[in-house]
């Protein structure tokens, strides 16, 4: 049995990536089905919502930093368009991030971060301890200084999911609440997907956006199976009650070499994160990682002691071998990858959606003649096979 007849596109996975693609695709006039047993509740639900091209960039990741910068520039327009389509806010904030050093050895590390940012032409300014505390009065007196990162912003990840679901429904995206068991491929062409209840969705194109489970989908030939692995992270949601002082903007901190971040929300909420562990698909929350997180955060912002713990959430980041996303066509006609976004899925969602919709529309990428920022992040970089929409080397 098939669902709803032939569709232009079926998207496997309704996280931030799949939902953003579905919304942009339906807005471009395509008929779209999203299959997901629980849309928005994967890694996307756990995320802090930092849009951090600078703070997340590492030495040796210059092309990723360039992609991230293009991505953060796309966010204001994406947020405005999404809010207009959904009729609800996403709480995008462009007020930058303060990176602070807990002690003098952390100061050396934040100085290296500063040097990297300046070397690749990104805005970043070194601040002394007093300037940091003037900028953010809740910081502990003992911090040893920091860096102002004006290009690192934030959005409420859960508001964004809510808005995307609303915009998709309004636009006519069909949602199927089930799991894809296999991608159907006939004569080197993707023809749809099979679901766990035995039904099918027939489609002209299949977009794989199943986050950390993208590599586990049935039916994918080994040559195109994305090498994605789960990297567990835990965030804690806190709430400031009436009269409790609130952070003005996002603070990232290095404390004895460990990283933590505190992301304030519009309603007095605060997201504290995050741990990084490779434990397969295990979503449990070990006490040790949480204890370190609390200790580091309280050292930087002592007023956190007055906040209430509302929720602890773990999620599985879709990691790739080079930390970059895996976005583009494969050697199977009509099979498109949109996965591997690792620590930057929120940040990269708007750009990924536009890229994928460009690929779906033209069969060869965006109509924009300038090189795509995803050129260094194509699926075929992990396999020797050169791919093209028509299964040729075009
Ligand atoms: C603790 C933590 C903090 C983070 N903070 C940030 C941040 O501040 N900024 C940022 O940019 N990124 C952040 N990230 C990373 C970000 O969350 C991810 O990169 C992003 O959510 C990936 O989106 P996705 O849609 O690919 O995956 P997911 O959100 O995991 O969605 C995948 C979806 O696919 C569905 N699915 C899986 N298998 C199947 C199947 N067989 N059939 C149908 N559906 C299926 C799942 O149900 C799920 O809904 C963080 C991640 C974690 C864990």
């Amino acid at each position: 049995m098939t669902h709803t007849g032939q569709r232009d596109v079926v998207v496997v996975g309704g996280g931030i990536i799949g939902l953003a693609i579905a919304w942009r695709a339906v807005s471009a006039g395509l008929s779209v089905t999203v299959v997901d047993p629980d849309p928005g509740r994967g890694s996307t639900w756990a995320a802090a919502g930092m849009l951090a091209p600078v703070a997340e960039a590492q030495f040796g990741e210059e092309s990723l930093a360039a992609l991230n910068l293009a991505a953060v520039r796309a966010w204001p327009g994406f947020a405005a368009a999404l809010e207009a389509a959904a009729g609800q806010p996403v709480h995008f904030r462009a007020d930058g991030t303060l990176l602070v050093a807990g002690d003098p050895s952390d100061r050396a590390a934040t100085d290296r971060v500063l040097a990297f940012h300046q070397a690749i032409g990104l805005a970043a300014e070194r601040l002394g301890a007093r300037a940091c505390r003037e900028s953010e009065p809740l910081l502990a007196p003992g911090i040893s200084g920091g860096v102002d990162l004006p290009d690192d912003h934030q959005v409420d990840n859960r508001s964004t999911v809510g808005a995307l679901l609303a915009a998709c429904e309004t636009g006519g995206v069909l949602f199927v609440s089930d799991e894809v068991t296999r991608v159907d491929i006939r004569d080197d062409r993707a023809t749809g997907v099979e679901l766990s209840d035995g039904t099918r969705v027939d489609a002209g194109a299949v977009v794989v956006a199943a986050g950390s489970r993208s590599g586990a989908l049935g039916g994918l030939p080994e040559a195109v199976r994305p090498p994605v692995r789960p990297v567990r992270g835990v965030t804690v949601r806190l709430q400031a009650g009436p009269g409790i002082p609130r952070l003005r903007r996002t603070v990232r901190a290095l404390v004895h070499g460990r990283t933590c971040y505190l992301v304030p929300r519009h309603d007095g909420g605060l997201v504290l994160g995050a741990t990084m562990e490779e434990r397969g698909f295990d979503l449990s929350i070990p006490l040790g990682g949480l204890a370190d997180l609390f200790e580091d955060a309280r050292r930087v912002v002592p007023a956190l002691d007055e906040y209430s713990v509302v929720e602890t959430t773990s999620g599985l980041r879709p990691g790739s071998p080079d930390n970059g996303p895996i976005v583009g066509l494969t050697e199977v006609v009509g099979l498109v990858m949109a996965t591997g976004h690792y620590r930057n899925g929120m940040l990269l969602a708007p750009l990924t959606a536009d890229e994928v919709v460009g690929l779906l529309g033209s069969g060869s990428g965006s109509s924009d003649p300038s090189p795509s920022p995803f050129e260094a992040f194509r699926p075929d970089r992990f396999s020797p096979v050169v791919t093209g929409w028509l299964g040729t080397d075009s």
Side-chain angles (χ1 to χ4, degrees):
M1 193 193 107
T2 60
H3 281 263
T4 69
Q6 172 87 12
R7 310 289 285 167
D8 292 325
V9 186
V10 59
V11 181
V12 185
I16 184 74
I17 300 298
L19 291 177
I21 291 168
W23 172 52
R24 287 301 216 201
V26 85
S27 306
L30 299 171
S31 59
V32 183
T33 293
V34 173
V35 184
D36 192 320
D38 205 3
R41 293 293 180 133
S43 181
T44 300
W45 199 245
M50 288 182 301
L51 306 174
V54 172
E56 292 285 347
Q58 311 270 331
F59 286 92
E61 292 184 349
E62 285 80 1
S63 49
L64 185 55
L67 177 70
N68 290 351
L69 255 189
V72 83
R73 290 185 185 128
W75 253 99
F78 179 85
L82 178 55
E83 287 181 342
Q88 57 192 76
V90 299
H91 301 296
F92 169 73
R93 285 174 58 172
D95 46 9
T97 292
L98 196 57
L99 173 66
V100 300
D103 63 26
S105 64
D106 296 318
R107 184 70 163 146
T110 57
D111 279 345
R112 284 196 295 277
V113 173
L114 174 73
F116 170 64
H117 297 144
Q118 291 177 335
I120 60 173
L122 299 174
E125 185 191 353
R126 192 177 200 270
L127 300 179
R130 181 183 297 178
C132 285
R133 296 196 65 226
E134 278 168 9
S135 164
E136 185 47 75
L138 293 191
L139 290 174
I143 62 140
S144 62
V147 181
D148 184 29
L149 302 171
D151 291 327
D152 286 24
H153 305 316
Q154 65 135 309
V155 70
D156 186 322
N157 51 313
R158 295 179 179 183
S159 300
T160 306
V161 163
L164 278 170
L165 287 169
C168 282
E169 300 249 0
T170 304
V173 173
L174 293 181
F175 284 90
V176 177
S177 181
D178 201 346
E179 202 163 294
V180 169
T181 49
R182 59 182 290 113
V183 176
D184 272 337
I185 296 172
R186 291 179 202 163
D187 301 328
D188 292 331
R189 174 179 287 272
T191 57
V193 294
E194 286 174 21
L195 312 186
S196 68
D197 66 1
T199 59
R200 287 177 44 81
V201 177
D202 294 324
V206 176
V207 177
V208 174
S212 60
R213 295 198 176 267
S214 298
L217 278 179
L220 294 178
E222 285 312 308
V224 300
R225 187 174 293 285
V228 177
R229 68 184 197 288
V231 181
R232 185 173 66 193
V234 174
T235 42
V236 182
R237 262 122 184 122
L238 305 172
Q239 184 71 38
I244 304 295
R246 300 174 179 191
L247 278 183
R248 291 177 178 168
R249 60 183 176 140
T250 300
V251 171
R252 296 174 64 92
L254 275 168
V255 183
H256 303 322
R258 291 197 300 240
T259 309
C260 72
Y261 48 76
L262 303 95
V263 185
R265 296 292 198 229
H266 71 286
D267 59 357
L270 186 139
V271 184
L272 170 61
T275 59
M276 292 260 277
E277 291 171 292
E278 307 229 5
R279 297 286 163 87
F281 290 98
D282 178 5
L283 276 167
S284 59
I285 302 178
L287 181 66
L290 270 189
D292 290 346
L293 205 52
F294 286 142
E295 183 187 329
D296 296 345
R298 291 172 66 228
R299 199 179 287 264
V300 177
V301 179
L304 283 191
D305 282 355
E306 304 297 322
Y307 283 55
S308 307
V309 176
V310 177
E311 182 190 315
T312 54
T313 314
S314 68
L316 301 171
R317 303 173 183 90
S320 76
D322 60 8
N323 297 337
I326 302 171
V327 176
L329 305 174
T330 68
E331 67 183 84
V332 176
V333 180
L335 179 66
V336 182
M337 292 295 153
T339 186
H341 292 79
Y342 194 30
R343 296 168 302 174
N344 292 316
M346 292 300 304
L347 171 65
L348 291 170
L351 224 52
T352 301
D354 287 346
E355 180 72 10
V356 169
V357 173
L359 293 167
L360 290 170
S362 70
S364 61
S366 156
S367 53
D368 182 347
S370 53
S372 162
F374 286 96
E375 258 345 296
F377 301 102
R378 297 304 190 199
D380 63 1
R381 73 187 186 279
F382 299 118
S383 84
V385 184
V386 178
T387 63
W389 178 254
L390 297 173
T392 68
D393 291 351
S394 58

